[in-house]
Amino acid sequence: QVQLVESGGGSVQAGGSLRLSCAVSGNTYGRCMGWFRQAPVKEREGVASFDRASSTNYANSVKGRFTISIDNAKNTLYLQMNTLKPEDTAIYYCAARGPLLGCRGDVIRAAEFSYWGQGTQVTVSS
């Protein structure tokens, strides 16, 4: 069982930065970790994924601006978001796949993730 608690959301002007944190209780070894976001009236979108065996993956819309990372000592997943745009406004969720299920392919699919945090709001104003 994995529990995920996000923090770090807030309001920022376009061009600014935020760092989201996801405190993980449970074993992250061998399991794919991801960040998703959902804007009003839109489907949940995969933003970034990471596991220790494969390279990180990013949605095209955030490549070069967002960075996913993990601090193993703190068992915390991060999403560093730079050069934020108004279209980045959404609720951001941390998620984890089941035990020993790594990341698959370039598309980050919400249906493949079993554990979810409660979400944190990010608002970017123009």
Side-chain angles (χ1 to χ4, degrees):
Q1 191 73 306
V2 173
Q3 291 184 321
L4 309 167
V5 179
E6 302 98 335
S7 61
S11 297
V12 65
Q13 289 192 325
S17 298
L18 283 173
R19 187 177 78 160
L20 305 183
S21 300
C22 174
V24 183
S25 64
N27 193 356
T28 61
Y29 180 81
R31 115 176 35 233
C32 184
M33 304 295 297
W35 285 98
F36 291 79
R37 65 186 181 186
Q38 189 164 18
V41 302
K42 289 191 176 180
E43 291 189 358
R44 192 164 294 190
E45 173 193 20
V47 174
S49 66
F50 167 88
D51 70 33
R52 299 180 194 188
S54 64
S55 60
T56 54
N57 284 317
Y58 296 94
N60 288 334
S61 58
V62 306
K63 279 181 182 176
R65 301 189 298 122
F66 289 13
T67 303
I68 188 172
S69 63
I70 191 165
D71 184 328
N72 295 321
K74 296 181 179 179
N75 222 32
T76 300
L77 184 74
Y78 298 101
L79 184 68
Q80 177 67 45
M81 306 185 295
N82 298 328
T83 320
L84 282 161
K85 304 176 181 180
E87 52 263 43
D88 295 318
T89 295
I91 299 174
Y92 283 72
Y93 298 91
C94 173
R97 292 197 72 194
L100 300 179
L101 294 179
C103 299
R104 298 199 304 180
D106 294 335
V107 180
I108 308 162
R109 296 182 178 88
E112 294 181 350
F113 288 74
S114 301
Y115 304 96
W116 294 85
Q118 82 287 353
T120 186
Q121 177 71 47
V122 171
T123 303
V124 184
S125 58
S126 57

